[in-house]
Amino acid sequence: MSTRPSSSASTHRPRPSSSFTRSPLEQLVYSSVPSLAPPRTHRGTIDARSGRSSVASSRPDSRAEVDDEVEKERKERVRELMEWCEEIMESRLPSSAPLSASILPDTAKRILLQSSSRTDGRSASRQSSRGESSASGSERAMKFNGIWNKLEKGRLLSSPLPHLQFLLSLSEFNPNNIPSKPIPSSASSVTGTSSSRSMPPPPQPSTFPSTQPRSSRQPLTGTASANIPSLDFDVKGKSKADVLKAWRTSKSQKPFPPQLLLRDTLYLLQGIDGRYVRFALRPPREQNPYLTEKGRAGEGVGFPLGKDGAVPSLEDEGEEGETVGIEIVADQNKDGYISKPTQIILMQLSEMGMLYRQVTDFINTRQAGEGKGGMTEQSLCHFLHHELSEYHRLLAVLESQMNQSTPADAEQPAEGAGLTLMRLGLWTEEMRLKLKQMNLVVDEAKKVHGGALVSKIHKHTNHGDPLIRRFTDQILEEVSKPFFATLQRWIFSGDLHDPFNEFFVQLNPETVSLRDGRISPAGDVGFEGGMDSGGGTDEAHKVWEKKYVFVKSMVPGFVSEDFGKKIFSTGRSLNFIRYSCGDSDWIETQAKLANAGRALKYSDLAGLERSIDDAYSIASQRLLEIFFDKFVLLEHLRALKSYLMLGAGDFTELLMEALAPRLSKPAISLYRHHLTSDLESAIRGSNAQFDNPDILRRLDARILEYSHGETGWDCFALEYKVEAPLNAVLDNKAMLDYDRLFNHLWRLKRVENALTSGWMRVTSGSRVYEKIPGLSNDWHHCRIVQSEMVHFLRNLQAFYQLEVIECSWAAFIDFTEKREGDLDALIAAHREYLERVVRKVLLLSSRRDKEEVLLDAVRDALDFILQFRDATDDLYAWSLAEATRLDRERDAERGLYTLPTTDSPTLSSNQLTSIRQRIKTCSNSFQDRLISICHLAGSHTDLDVRFLAIRIAWNGHYSLRKSRSGVVAGDKASGRSGRG
Amino acid sequence: MSSAQDEARIQNARETIDSLHDLSQLLQTGLDKNTLSICVGMIEQGANPDTLAAVIKELRREKELLKAQKADQP
């Protein structure tokens, strides 16, 4: 439907530009008022048409002066006239044409048809002087059709409609022109003709021209037989409505004057109570007729509208005093009756008034500052305001239509001219839909705000009605403006400017204190940083992780969640660069972003995605660059790997050597300054001294919490200190993991060390006790078990260093070389790397309750190795003592003087038995553990760990032994492995 | 642009103006051909038909006024 075409069309009128060619307006003036036209020649025959020039011509002597004077006066006059005309042209007269331009030809035809009677009775002389309008109305209508068709087909005019409108408004037949005619008796003639009309105009069905195709109407009204159907109609009898009308008339109930109803309706449309019809308010609960008896909705009581009326049980929702319908307060007996269909139309029309009221209420309350506020709401109000002014303009046009048609309608209500309730409904149809939509949006705006509101509105863009869809797009364009402003600021400067919490990124309420605090890198993180610096180190991670939160419910509908995350990350990266990485970085980043900045708006979603993608990649690239280049993250990670995961063998060896005597003592006798000095000497002595001093100064030795009876081995830890912003990646949790790793690997190293030194001693001293009878078997057994242990430790360490740590590291390096994703991706990659290492080094099982079964077994095995070493040491000492005793005995036999021995052979043999017992127990336990370790690792969920089992038991030795021991002492072995 | 085409255009324009003039006669607007063609030009350029009609009416009133003056003067 294309309504309201004309009221604003006059704004761009061509202005006269050159002085030589006259403006059309001037031409028009000369053409219609010939007496003002300029003389043709400058001074020749003064135009005879000019009244005053004839006077001048009688006096030839003063002719020139008079001419000048006349010319001047004429020009003055023309100028005045022109000004006046321009003023008219620029004014916004209410359009006289019907709202729908497409019904113009029909209007013209109708006027022509009616004209026959009107002009016949009036001015025959004028018609005869024109010489052609003696034809009857229908003939003229036919002729009009012919010309009109020709004009419509012609391509020269852009559209013939405005021309027709122009001609029509000048036409003498136009009823509007009659009073304004210069004929003084026009007013009386109108009344005269209407009263003395002999033949009523053919009753046209009140038509909806735009709903009926033109072609179907053509034969009815376009031909001379236009009257015939109406005649048939009369013959056939009257419609029910007519019968009812006749009955009412017989009961002396005249119909209610429609123009009064119309005026009231126009009031209703503005949300104002009319004189006869007004809005019904929701009655207080006790007076509500619907609550007690639903069927009481009689005439004039009030028409329930919408959901409230349909579902009375929901009435608690509404407030008292809310508009629920309309109420007809006219005295129907006095003024006339209002038929039921009319009431229904009134009710339907008044819906708009109600909607208007609600929308206006919303705007008013928001402007009064009673709402939650918010930029989205403000822009919504702005848009609604604009739309409502459109609505007001429409109402003004309608009103002017009504004023024009009032005199005609007074006598012939069924006539199609002017405004009727039906037309009102038709012409406001579009507006009604818009108002409905606005009301919907307003309802939503009361509940949610900000991004949620935008996404609520966005849901309507999938509406089936293209009109609604377009309208919603308009709303969205306006409403999303503040959103995009915030967005722009967020993704281009990392600044969250959102005073009303409307954006989908919000400051985390828990960490508001971090908002402005610029985290400066702590100056002293050296050895003296101390254990108490742990409080401050977590900040960068917290800033990155917790400073802003992503509020999913606030993401507008047109931004997908992934995309929203991208936006979130972009702004977060920028913010992080800005506040946590130092000024120079920020300036560089800003320079890079400068050319990515573009105006964002709803209608350009593709451009939005592109610019956000750009900003995202720039920001995250930049942040990664800062991390890798400025803060040498990789160097730190490498240091962690080589020092905390014992990758640097020489350093570890030296440290172990230096610390071993101290750590063997009880934990209580440990002092940190001893440890740190040992650490320093280990660094000096190893390749670590060539490492970056910045990294070395972060290395620190620490004593963990210890309980009574623990040795230094249990509570020693190497520490690596990180500060902001590095601890965004190396957060507390990661450092804890590193600690766990160090703890385990350190223990392994220590056991290996102990075993190696024990083996060295035993091997070098073997000459001494070789000759002792009865011991070779024991030593042989010891050596076998020892080598088994060495084999186990070697394989375990090789597995850790080669299979686990280096492989994970390689995967991590692969990721960092690509430099994709944002800081989140980096953090995730590091975490994955660390988790992989931890899981495999600590041999964690995926089963939740038995996570550390294998680790416990390994630890037990390590403990048994230590015990075994002690036992072998004892055996070694005993062997030495025994060797000495035997030597002495031999000396005594040879007659040499010897000191009397205190220890008796029985005592020493007792000792030997206990030592043998210990060794046996230890080796048995160790072997049992090893079997169960192999078994557990062989069935581990992790393939790499299974591979470890294969490495240790590469020739099937342990499975063989297991089955053998299973046969010999089945219950014992299975009991152990079952326990493990 | 060939002259034949121009001629056809001119012919077409003349026909259109003629048709509009017929229409104006039919509706008894009282416009002569010259005025009509000026008005058609203005409307084609986007003038509001209603206001233009108002202008014409004003001009007519002015003409009547002038006529009356002329009748008074001699």
Side-chain angles (χ1 to χ4, degrees):
Chain A
M1 241 172 50
S2 62
T3 55
R4 295 188 293 108
S6 53
S7 60
S8 59
S10 68
T11 44
H12 41 79
R13 197 181 46 80
R15 280 206 152 261
S17 54
S18 83
S19 56
F20 255 120
T21 54
R22 286 177 189 141
S23 73
L25 201 61
E26 203 176 344
Q27 284 178 29
L28 194 63
V29 170
Y30 296 149
S31 147
S32 39
V33 193
S35 52
L36 287 181
R40 246 159 237 248
T41 54
H42 198 62
R43 195 153 287 207
T45 56
I46 298 296
D47 207 342
R49 276 171 289 177
S50 165
R52 268 147 282 174
S53 65
S54 61
V55 182
S57 63
S58 64
R59 276 179 281 176
D61 51 329
S62 60
R63 182 170 164 172
E65 291 146 41
V66 174
D67 269 357
D68 277 350
E69 196 182 310
V70 165
E71 181 70 11
K72 219 164 127 190
E73 199 179 330
R74 187 193 68 82
K75 272 190 180 157
E76 182 71 12
R77 189 119 199 182
V78 168
R79 200 177 53 75
E80 269 175 23
L81 207 53
M82 291 269 294
E83 268 173 14
W84 172 233
C85 289
E86 272 184 28
E87 210 168 282
I88 296 178
M89 293 290 285
E90 267 161 19
S91 70
R92 286 188 167 200
L93 282 184
S95 171
S96 69
L99 287 174
S100 169
S102 56
I103 67 164
L104 263 173
D106 296 326
T107 321
K109 258 180 275 178
R110 205 183 50 241
I111 288 174
L112 281 173
L113 276 173
Q114 289 168 18
S115 70
S116 57
S117 56
R118 200 171 290 172
T119 43
D120 278 349
R122 202 174 16 166
S123 53
S125 62
R126 289 166 68 91
Q127 283 168 25
S128 60
S129 68
R130 301 267 155 90
E132 68 136 58
S133 40
S134 55
S136 75
S138 52
E139 264 174 54
R140 270 198 226 111
M142 259 173 74
K143 215 165 172 181
F144 169 79
N145 257 353
I147 300 174
W148 184 246
N149 282 345
K150 212 158 115 194
L151 274 178
E152 270 195 328
K153 271 175 208 144
R155 294 209 190 100
L156 206 67
L157 299 176
S158 52
S159 160
L161 283 172
H163 300 280
L164 183 61
Q165 194 185 344
F166 167 65
L167 291 177
L168 209 56
S169 50
L170 276 180
S171 168
E172 282 189 23
F173 300 132
N174 196 335
N176 297 337
N177 280 350
I178 294 164
S180 66
K181 283 225 165 165
I183 301 159
S185 63
S186 62
S188 64
S189 79
V190 170
T191 51
T193 48
S194 54
S195 59
S196 68
R197 187 155 44 208
S198 54
M199 184 178 69
Q204 295 214 350
S206 63
T207 53
F208 291 112
S210 53
T211 53
Q212 272 180 350
R214 263 181 61 85
S215 56
S216 70
R217 280 176 46 74
Q218 214 98 10
L220 260 183
T221 55
T223 60
S225 60
N227 289 349
I228 292 175
S230 67
L231 285 177
D232 278 349
F233 192 69
D234 282 344
V235 171
K236 270 183 191 164
K238 294 172 172 176
S239 68
K240 290 258 165 66
D242 286 340
V243 171
L244 190 64
K245 207 184 210 172
W247 179 78
R248 298 242 200 211
T249 322
S250 70
K251 288 263 183 183
S252 79
Q253 278 184 327
K254 56 182 184 344
F256 198 84
Q259 78 272 21
L260 292 183
L261 264 189
L262 263 178
R263 186 175 311 131
D264 268 13
T265 314
L266 281 179
Y267 283 138
L268 284 183
L269 288 187
Q270 298 166 61
I272 305 169
D273 283 343
R275 191 168 153 204
Y276 304 104
V277 185
R278 66 176 176 215
F279 286 106
L281 300 181
R282 178 189 298 281
R285 263 180 80 85
E286 56 271 18
Q287 290 174 30
N288 195 331
Y290 301 108
L291 285 181
T292 48
E293 33 184 316
K294 286 185 197 171
R296 252 193 64 197
E299 279 196 0
V301 172
F303 296 83
L305 276 178
K307 59 173 185 168
D308 300 318
V311 191
S313 60
L314 285 180
E315 286 205 297
D316 304 30
E317 287 181 6
E319 300 156 25
E320 195 178 307
E322 190 190 354
T323 314
V324 288
I326 58 167
E327 171 171 40
I328 294 168
V329 291
D331 185 357
Q332 298 205 16
N333 293 325
K334 206 177 89 196
D335 299 325
Y337 71 92
I338 301 170
S339 64
K340 197 96 186 175
T342 317
Q343 287 179 6
I344 290 173
I345 294 175
L346 274 179
M347 196 263 281
Q348 284 166 350
L349 283 173
S350 69
E351 185 192 358
M352 253 182 294
M354 185 195 71
L355 296 174
Y356 172 80
R357 266 190 174 186
Q358 287 177 358
V359 174
T360 326
D361 277 354
F362 174 77
I363 296 178
N364 287 341
T365 50
R366 286 304 180 266
Q367 277 175 350
E370 287 170 23
K372 275 172 287 183
M375 319 245 274
T376 316
E377 229 159 50
Q378 283 170 23
S379 64
L380 176 66
C381 281
H382 173 75
F383 178 81
L384 290 178
H385 213 82
H386 179 75
E387 277 304 308
L388 286 187
S389 68
E390 278 297 299
Y391 180 64
H392 288 147
R393 189 176 316 174
L394 174 72
L395 285 183
V397 171
L398 285 173
E399 201 163 1
S400 77
Q401 289 269 318
M402 189 188 72
N403 288 339
Q404 278 171 6
S405 59
T406 306
D409 270 350
E411 282 100 31
Q412 38 191 52
E415 190 66 36
L419 196 64
T420 62
L421 282 179
M422 284 291 210
R423 288 190 173 198
L424 202 58
L426 181 68
W427 289 336
T428 51
E429 179 72 19
E430 192 182 345
M431 217 19 156
R432 193 165 61 86
L433 289 176
K434 283 186 177 178
L435 272 174
K436 253 187 185 164
Q437 189 66 18
M438 283 194 255
N439 193 37
L440 224 68
V441 172
V442 161
D443 276 349
E444 276 159 2
K446 281 176 192 158
K447 286 177 219 137
V448 292
H449 79 302
L453 176 61
V454 175
S455 70
K456 281 254 178 179
I457 298 175
H458 182 255
K459 272 185 198 149
H460 295 292
T461 52
N462 294 328
H463 200 283
D465 187 345
L467 176 89
I468 299 282
R469 213 157 47 214
R470 234 176 306 120
F471 184 64
T472 316
D473 278 347
Q474 284 173 15
I475 299 183
L476 216 51
E477 172 82 47
E478 186 73 33
V479 168
S480 60
K481 262 182 197 163
F483 169 78
F484 281 111
T486 316
L487 178 64
Q488 194 154 6
R489 211 146 152 192
W490 173 247
I491 64 171
F492 292 133
S493 60
D495 220 11
L496 185 64
H497 179 76
D498 183 21
F500 298 102
N501 289 339
E502 292 168 303
F503 202 52
F504 59 81
V505 178
Q506 283 174 13
L507 263 187
N508 196 340
E510 298 163 21
T511 54
V512 176
S513 55
L514 292 176
R515 184 179 181 177
D516 299 315
R518 173 168 306 191
I519 290 97
S520 55
D524 53 342
V525 258
F527 293 119
E528 61 282 329
M531 292 140 88
D532 52 341
S533 65
T537 51
D538 202 29
E539 273 189 1
H541 182 69
K542 243 192 214 157
V543 166
W544 172 254
E545 202 87 314
K546 303 243 176 72
K547 182 169 173 189
Y548 295 107
V549 283
F550 185 80
V551 185
K552 205 174 147 195
S553 63
M554 283 300 211
V555 182
F558 49 83
V559 177
S560 68
E561 205 186 319
D562 287 349
F563 207 58
K565 288 264 193 277
K566 223 175 213 182
I567 295 171
F568 179 52
S569 163
T570 308
R572 217 154 50 126
S573 302
L574 287 178
N575 196 286
F576 194 78
I577 294 174
R578 188 166 185 175
Y579 291 116
S580 305
C581 301
D583 287 332
S584 55
D585 300 314
W586 169 237
I587 291 162
E588 266 175 59
T589 313
Q590 214 172 23
K592 279 192 178 176
L593 274 174
N595 42 10
R598 258 172 285 188
L600 305 176
K601 55 181 192 227
Y602 171 67
S603 46
D604 185 23
L605 278 183
L608 170 75
E609 288 189 16
R610 230 177 308 115
S611 41
I612 287 178
D613 277 343
D614 286 355
Y616 172 74
S617 60
I618 290 175
S620 11
Q621 276 296 330
R622 183 79 199 114
L623 188 54
L624 288 189
E625 261 171 42
I626 290 174
F627 261 94
F628 284 127
D629 299 344
K630 185 176 171 194
F631 295 113
V632 285
L633 179 69
L634 272 185
E635 290 305 309
H636 290 294
L637 291 178
R638 191 168 285 131
L640 278 170
K641 184 171 82 84
S642 49
Y643 299 129
L644 257 60
M645 295 191 200
L646 311 184
D650 53 346
F651 166 77
T652 320
E653 205 74 27
L654 277 173
L655 187 67
M656 183 76 72
E657 228 168 74
L659 284 175
R662 292 191 203 283
L663 293 183
S664 309
K665 290 174 191 163
I668 200 158
S669 62
L670 276 184
Y671 292 103
R672 203 166 147 268
H673 54 267
H674 291 146
L675 297 182
T676 48
S677 66
D678 285 345
L679 175 65
E680 198 133 5
S681 62
I683 290 172
R684 292 264 167 72
S686 67
N687 271 327
Q689 60 182 309
F690 304 114
D691 218 335
N692 191 341
D694 177 54
I695 286 171
L696 292 179
R697 96 192 147 81
R698 291 163 191 269
L699 266 180
D700 194 12
R702 194 154 56 99
I703 304 170
L704 301 176
E705 300 259 323
Y706 53 85
S707 56
H708 183 72
E710 280 185 332
T711 58
W713 292 108
D714 298 315
C715 56
F716 168 75
L718 205 57
E719 196 186 31
Y720 195 82
K721 293 212 175 84
V722 284
E723 80 280 335
L726 272 181
N727 53 17
V729 178
L730 296 167
D731 55 347
N732 266 1
K733 193 174 161 291
M735 294 324 281
L736 266 177
D737 280 344
Y738 277 116
D739 278 351
R740 275 174 84 192
L741 280 177
F742 174 76
N743 195 345
H744 185 66
L745 291 171
W746 181 248
R747 184 192 299 230
L748 195 64
K749 195 83 196 168
R750 176 217 167 183
V751 171
E752 190 211 359
N753 220 19
L755 199 60
T756 316
S757 61
W759 180 84
M760 270 163 67
R761 194 175 335 165
V762 167
T763 310
S764 59
S766 63
R767 241 168 220 291
V768 182
Y769 51 77
E770 240 173 7
K771 288 162 261 171
I772 301 172
L775 272 183
S776 62
N777 215 0
D778 289 319
W779 281 115
H780 182 65
H781 178 243
C782 277
R783 275 194 285 271
I784 287 175
V785 176
Q786 214 165 27
S787 63
E788 204 177 324
M789 288 170 174
V790 169
H791 169 76
F792 170 66
L793 285 179
R794 286 270 159 77
N795 276 307
L796 201 59
Q797 272 182 327
F799 168 74
Y800 283 165
Q801 294 293 344
L802 302 179
E803 304 287 332
V804 178
I805 297 176
E806 288 303 327
C807 284
S808 311
W809 177 254
F812 178 65
I813 289 295
D814 271 355
F815 169 82
T816 54
E817 270 166 7
K818 274 186 283 176
R819 294 206 179 176
E820 273 172 4
D822 53 356
L823 187 55
D824 263 337
L826 176 65
I827 292 175
H830 175 252
R831 194 160 283 164
E832 194 196 348
Y833 153 74
L834 194 60
E835 257 170 25
R836 185 175 159 182
V837 172
V838 166
R839 212 177 47 237
K840 291 186 180 180
V841 165
L842 300 185
L843 303 168
L844 298 181
S845 155
S846 57
R847 306 237 303 273
R848 192 153 286 277
D849 47 338
K850 297 186 177 174
E851 238 184 4
E852 296 196 337
V853 169
L854 196 49
L855 180 65
D856 285 342
V858 171
R859 279 186 185 150
D860 278 356
L862 294 183
D863 281 348
F864 283 126
I865 292 175
L866 283 181
Q867 282 177 27
F868 173 81
R869 198 223 151 191
D870 285 347
T872 43
D873 275 357
D874 285 353
L875 181 64
Y876 176 70
W878 187 86
S879 302
L880 281 187
E882 183 68 14
T884 331
R885 196 179 61 84
L886 285 178
D887 276 352
R888 213 176 293 151
E889 267 178 20
R890 244 175 277 143
D891 286 348
E893 271 171 27
R894 280 188 287 170
L896 291 176
Y897 172 75
T898 52
L899 287 170
T901 52
T902 49
D903 45 345
S904 63
T906 45
L907 188 71
S908 61
S909 71
N910 277 349
Q911 276 178 346
L912 180 63
T913 347
S914 83
I915 288 170
R916 272 181 183 161
Q917 189 61 37
R918 269 168 64 201
I919 288 178
K920 201 171 160 64
T921 325
C922 284
S923 55
N924 274 344
S925 307
F926 171 74
Q927 278 165 354
D928 283 347
R929 285 290 172 279
L930 201 52
I931 289 169
S932 68
I933 285 170
C934 284
H935 176 67
L936 281 173
S939 59
H940 201 270
T941 42
D942 197 321
L943 279 180
D944 286 338
V945 179
R946 274 192 218 178
F947 185 62
L948 169 69
I950 294 169
R951 278 181 91 125
I952 293 172
W954 54 279
N955 55 4
H957 171 75
Y958 290 102
S959 56
L960 207 66
R961 187 148 67 173
K962 188 191 172 195
S963 60
R964 206 189 314 142
S965 68
V967 171
V968 176
D971 46 354
K972 184 181 162 196
S974 68
R976 279 220 174 103
S977 64
R979 201 204 79 182
Chain B
M1 278 289 178
S2 64
S3 61
Q5 249 180 339
D6 281 348
E7 212 149 281
R9 271 175 52 108
I10 291 167
Q11 180 67 22
N12 201 352
R14 196 172 295 140
E15 268 176 25
T16 311
I17 292 291
D18 280 347
S19 305
L20 281 172
H21 189 237
D22 283 350
L23 201 61
S24 126
Q25 294 280 4
L26 192 66
L27 288 166
Q28 298 188 4
T29 54
L31 293 171
D32 60 8
K33 215 164 177 173
N34 189 21
T35 319
L36 182 67
S37 54
I38 296 170
C39 292
V40 167
M42 286 177 77
I43 292 175
E44 276 300 292
Q45 283 177 36
N48 186 355
D50 276 322
T51 51
L52 194 58
V55 165
I56 295 284
K57 282 179 198 164
E58 275 306 311
L59 287 175
R60 278 185 184 157
R61 211 171 47 80
E62 185 71 18
K63 190 171 151 193
E64 292 297 323
L65 209 77
L66 277 179
K67 241 184 216 165
Q69 274 184 4
K70 184 186 162 189
D72 285 348
Q73 261 189 357

